[in-house]
Amino acid sequence: MSSNSIPKVDLTGLRSSLPGGDRWEAAREVVAAALHSHGCFEAVFPSPSTDLREEMFGSAAPELFSLPLESKLRSISDDAYHGYFGQIPHLSFESLIINGVDSPIAVQDFTRLMWPPEGNSTFCNNVTAFAEPLRELVEMVQRMIFQSLGVDQKQQDSFASSITHSLRLAEYGVPLNQDTKIALDAHLDPHLLSVICQHKIGGLEIQAMDDGNWIVVPPAPASVTVIAGQSLQAWSNMRVRAPTHRVRMLGKEKRFSVNYSIRPSRNSIVKSPAELGEDDDRPLLYKPFNYTEFVEFIYSEKGMGMSPKDAFNSYCRLEN
Ligand SMILES: O=C(O)CCC(=O)C(=O)O
Ligand SMILES: [Fe+2]
């Protein structure tokens, strides 16, 4: 059945440290079903608060992107494509990533790099406060996925110990191509999970798995959007499916978004646990792969010459 909205789940008041009870179990079932049918869902989740969202989108993000390009270019990372990203000829798009955002030191180091030498304590406090509930949300969703797939606690620990948390801030100008209004090309996220926070100016569109229609995801003041990435699709042996998504902006206003995501840490191996692969009646669909090498491949000349789905399949899909 086609629909013009993504599934919606109320996670208000639930906590990853209390993973049980009727409300938790009901929400978990909806989350698991949504991640399979659509690869995404709208999480009703009132944090970050309205005030914090105002602060982030009205002040912190604009202040960061108004820095001179030479300052933003100082943000580089050992991991390909995890530093400053921008200056793409056909797009009016820039993004910066704070890697390891779950550590206050990493946030402080990022602001010292952008605003040397002393940093920017207001920006630091806003980002740390903004990231905290999103980390909680990601951990809750991660826990629900493990529970619903029946993956044992040991696997849960090894999955969690090799994860990098990051917060990406993006700025979108009025799309250069006013015929398509594309502000960010259709893509799949290579990592595990993203939580996207939009504010007032929408643009996020997610492609439905069944009929390929684009579903517009409007910003909502007490919601965020959870999107699965290809590493989670491979790890879960396709119980969770990663959706294609893009940004299209119809108006003439600048847009900012926040993307809190988790990815396998540098050089960690993405591998389905036995419960979801060999021991199951479903054959193993993806061979284990090195996450860092996978990202390098999708941005290589060869990978860029394929559709995002073909690049993923040619990299790690098994012939069965
Ligand atoms: O800005 C958005 O709404 C989506 C951004 C996105 O898809 C990404 O950063 O991978
Ligand atoms: Fe994305």
Side-chain angles (χ1 to χ4, degrees):
M1 193 191 68
S2 175
S3 159
N4 59 4
S5 62
I6 59 172
K8 188 168 169 173
V9 192
D10 187 359
L11 299 177
T12 312
L14 296 176
R15 296 200 61 82
S16 62
S17 55
L18 295 168
D22 292 349
R23 265 201 70 217
W24 171 277
E25 281 166 23
R28 183 186 67 203
E29 294 320 305
V30 184
V31 164
L35 288 175
H36 183 72
S37 63
H38 288 75
C40 63
F41 62 91
E42 176 184 346
V44 177
F45 196 69
S47 308
S49 67
T50 308
D51 284 356
L52 208 47
R53 291 183 195 217
E54 282 295 339
E55 195 63 42
M56 173 61 91
F57 293 98
S59 161
E63 186 185 354
L64 177 67
F65 286 103
S66 66
L67 286 171
L69 180 59
E70 70 208 52
S71 306
K72 293 182 270 193
L73 287 172
R74 282 198 294 270
S75 175
I76 46 172
S77 164
D78 288 346
D79 292 332
Y81 303 98
H82 287 99
Y84 171 82
F85 199 67
Q87 313 306 309
I88 306 153
H90 68 288
L91 295 176
S92 174
F93 165 79
E94 282 190 310
S95 76
L96 281 155
I97 304 192
I98 306 169
N99 292 302
V101 69
D102 47 332
S103 139
I105 309 266
V107 184
Q108 220 169 59
D109 286 350
F110 175 81
T111 70
R112 290 204 176 113
L113 197 62
M114 294 296 108
W115 292 276
E118 68 275 2
N120 181 334
S121 59
T122 308
F123 183 95
C124 234
N125 294 339
N126 283 331
V127 165
T128 304
F130 202 94
E132 171 54 31
L134 301 181
R135 183 183 59 78
E136 168 59 24
L137 174 63
V138 161
E139 284 178 356
M140 196 148 71
V141 172
Q142 200 183 317
R143 198 142 199 161
M144 288 180 172
I145 294 170
F146 273 86
Q147 276 187 355
S148 74
L149 296 182
V151 171
D152 83 23
Q153 185 68 34
K154 253 198 349 259
Q155 298 283 358
Q156 189 153 333
D157 293 345
S158 74
F159 184 84
S161 67
S162 62
I163 285 177
T164 299
H165 289 243
S166 61
L167 186 140
R168 180 210 286 262
L169 284 151
E171 182 193 75
Y172 301 80
V174 177
L176 300 177
N177 185 335
Q178 277 298 305
D179 293 330
T180 63
K181 314 235 188 246
I182 292 289
L184 185 64
D185 295 320
H187 66 280
L188 289 125
D189 293 337
H191 51 238
L192 291 158
L193 271 177
S194 281
V195 179
I196 310 271
C197 187
Q198 307 187 85
H199 186 69
K200 295 183 182 163
I201 315 285
L204 178 62
E205 298 187 356
I206 301 180
Q207 196 169 29
M209 304 269 184
D210 51 2
D211 57 14
N213 283 335
W214 288 99
I215 302 174
V216 174
V217 183
S223 287
V224 291
T225 310
V226 177
I227 302 182
Q230 291 166 309
S231 292
L232 188 57
Q233 176 169 319
W235 176 88
S236 70
N237 205 20
M238 200 94 101
R239 264 64 168 208
V240 171
R241 298 190 292 168
T244 303
H245 55 285
R246 68 183 183 188
V247 177
R248 246 179 103 233
M249 284 159 56
L250 306 182
K252 296 272 185 229
E253 283 170 281
K254 201 179 252 192
R255 169 181 187 262
F256 296 98
S257 70
V258 170
N259 179 347
Y260 187 103
S261 68
I262 53 171
R263 66 175 188 269
S265 301
R266 188 165 176 69
N267 285 324
S268 45
I269 304 297
V270 177
K271 181 179 187 298
S272 273
E275 294 93 318
L276 306 179
E278 309 93 41
D279 287 1
D280 198 31
D281 45 13
R282 160 194 300 238
L284 187 66
L285 299 173
Y286 298 95
K287 60 183 176 218
F289 61 89
N290 175 310
Y291 177 74
T292 308
E293 290 172 6
F294 167 54
V295 173
E296 281 165 7
F297 171 75
I298 52 179
Y299 286 109
S300 70
E301 208 176 311
K302 189 167 172 206
M304 296 286 275
M306 302 178 190
S307 74
K309 253 183 204 142
D310 288 348
F312 178 49
N313 286 335
S314 83
Y315 196 75
C316 58
R317 180 81 198 232
L318 289 163
E319 301 285 327
N320 52 31

